C-alpha cells in the first residue's frame, strides 16, 4: 500500500491554545477529508492521510516529501493560482499544490443536496415538505461554484435562511462554523461529482495516482 500525505489548509491554530472542543472538531475535519479523498481510490493500493495545517503559511514548518500533496484555499478566482503560488513561495512544489476554488465551502455549495441531507432534521417548519430548496436559492442557482465569491459567507447565509436549531430552549437560526459544521458536510460529498465540477480536484486525484505508481 502507498500512503500519500495530504496537507490541507484548515483546522485549529496551534498557537492559539485551542479548546478541547476545537481540537476535537479539527480531528473530525481531518477524518472527513480522509473519508472524502480515500473514496476515490482502492484503499488496498493507495491511502490518503489528511493533515490540517491551519494556514498555508505554516507549510514552511513542514519538510515535505516528494510524495506529499498540499491543498489550500485560493480565496480568489482560479486565474489567481500562479500569483498565490508565488506569493506563498510555493514555486518549488507547484506541481503538488492544489487549490480549493475559491474556498472549501464552494465544494459544499456545489452539492446542495448534501446540505439538505445533513440538516434534514433542522429544516424550518415551512420547508418540511419541500425538496431542492437549497439548490434553488438565489445565491447559488445557475451559478458556477468556482465563481461564487466568499462561499463561506454564502453557506452561512443559506444555513441561517433554511435551518434552525434549539439552544437553551430557544429556536435559533443555524450558524455556520468551519470546524463545527464543515466536517459533517465534507464527508457527505461525492468525490466523482467534485472531480467533474472542479478541475483542481480532478488534477489532485490524477497526481496522487501518478505518485502512487512511482512508489
Amino acid at each position: 500500500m502507498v500512503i500519500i500525505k495530504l496537507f490541507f489548509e484548515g483546522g485549529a491554530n496551534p498557537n492559539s491554545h485551542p479548546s478541547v472542543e476545537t481540537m476535537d472538531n479539527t480531528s473530525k475535519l481531518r477524518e472527513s477529508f480522509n473519508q472524502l479523498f480515500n473514496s476515490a481510490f482502492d484503499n488496498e493500493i493507495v491511502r490518503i492521510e489528511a493533515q490540517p495545517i491551519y494556514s498555508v503559511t505554516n507549510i514552511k514548518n513542514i519538510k515535505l516529501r516528494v510524495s506529499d500533496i498540499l491543498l489550500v484555499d485560493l480565496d480568489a478566482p482560479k486565474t489567481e493560482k500562479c500569483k498565490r503560488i508565488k506569493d506563498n513561495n510555493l514555486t518549488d512544489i507547484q506541481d503538488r499544490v492544489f487549490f480549493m476554488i475559491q474556498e472549501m465551502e464552494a465544494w459544499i455549495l456545489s452539492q446542495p443536496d448534501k446540505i439538505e441531507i445533513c440538516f434534514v432534521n433542522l429544516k424550518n417548519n415551512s420547508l418540511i415538505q419541500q425538496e431542492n430548496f437549497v439548490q434553488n436559492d438565489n445565491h447559488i442557482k445557475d451559478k458556477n461554484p468556482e465563481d461564487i465569491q466568499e462561499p463561506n459567507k454564502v453557506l452561512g447565509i443559506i444555513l441561517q435562511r433554511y435551518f434552525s436549531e434549539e439552544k437553551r430552549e430557544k429556536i435559533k437560526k443555524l450558524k455556520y462554523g468551519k470546524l463545527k459544521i464543515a466536517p459533517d458536510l465534507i464527508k457527505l460529498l461525492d468525490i466523482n461529482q467534485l472531480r467533474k465540477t472542479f478541475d483542481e480536484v480532478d488534477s489532485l486525484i490524477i497526481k496522487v495516482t501518478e505518485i502512487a505508481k512511482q512508489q
Side-chain angles (χ1 to χ4, degrees), residues 22-81:
T22 298
M23 292 304 297
D24 285 346
N25 287 334
T26 294
S27 294
K28 290 178 182 177
L29 184 62
R30 174 176 57 81
E31 289 306 315
S32 292
F33 268 84
N34 276 328
Q35 181 173 323
L36 174 64
F37 282 104
N38 279 309
S39 67
F41 301 99
D42 180 341
N43 297 149
E44 293 185 359
I45 300 174
V46 181
R47 191 179 74 196
I48 298 289
E49 286 189 356
Q51 181 65 46
I53 58 170
Y54 174 61
S55 169
V56 65
T57 58
N58 287 340
I59 200 64
K60 64 180 182 293
N61 300 317
I62 301 171
K63 187 175 182 180
L64 292 179
R65 303 173 304 169
V66 294
S67 60
D68 294 339
I69 300 291
L70 180 62
L71 178 65
V72 296
D73 285 330
L74 184 59
D75 297 317
K78 64 194 307 182
T79 52
E80 298 295 309
K81 288 195 300 181

Side-chain angles (χ1 to χ4, degrees), residues 1 7 15 28 38 43 47 53 66 69 80 85 89 137 147 183 193 210:
M1 177 193 295
F7 293 95
N15 297 320
K28 290 178 182 177
N38 279 309
N43 297 149
R47 191 179 74 196
I53 58 170
V66 294
I69 300 291
E80 298 295 309
I85 287 173
N89 299 314
D137 185 271
D147 294 333
Q193 281 186 247
E210 291 175 354

